[in-house]
Amino acid sequence: MAQFSSHPWIIALTGASGTIYGRRLIQALVESDSAFRIEVVVSDAALRVMAEEEKIVTSAHSIKVENLIGTPSHTVTINNNRDIGASIASG
């Protein structure tokens, strides 16, 4: 197993029709030879955009990496957008 970089990439998908770019960035990082730990949070607005524009229907409670990039990945952690105690939250 690859050694992760000490600092993760934190990617927030916030909607406004840009979710495709964030999803592609996640996919590119996963496919790269580098060992990136990737933390993702998806807003309710992004979930709506994904459902309406990309036909990806999921929820903040059930979203998986597979929903975002089409394949599982052990390097990506999806954080619930309502979890103020998530590892990527301030503090």
Side-chain angles (χ1 to χ4, degrees):
M1 177 178 257
Q3 181 74 18
F4 286 127
S5 169
S6 60
H7 299 288
W9 277 75
I10 299 174
I11 300 169
L13 303 180
T14 60
S17 296
T19 58
I20 187 79
Y21 301 110
R23 292 184 329 97
R24 181 63 189 110
L25 174 60
I26 296 165
Q27 184 177 25
L29 290 171
V30 167
E31 292 173 353
S32 73
D33 289 335
S34 300
F36 293 109
R37 190 177 77 218
I38 305 161
E39 299 277 344
V40 178
V41 63
V42 183
S43 73
D44 290 333
L47 290 168
R48 181 174 174 182
V49 168
M50 288 176 8
E52 292 181 7
E53 296 183 0
E54 302 179 62
K55 308 302 183 229
I56 299 170
V57 180
T58 187
S59 71
H61 300 291
S62 63
I63 191 167
K64 295 181 171 57
V65 177
E66 294 93 310
N67 299 121
L68 298 176
I69 63 172
T71 186
S73 173
H74 69 281
T75 62
V76 180
T77 301
I78 306 291
N79 295 275
N80 187 304
N81 67 16
R82 293 179 181 93
D83 183 5
I84 63 170
S87 64
I88 61 172
S90 69

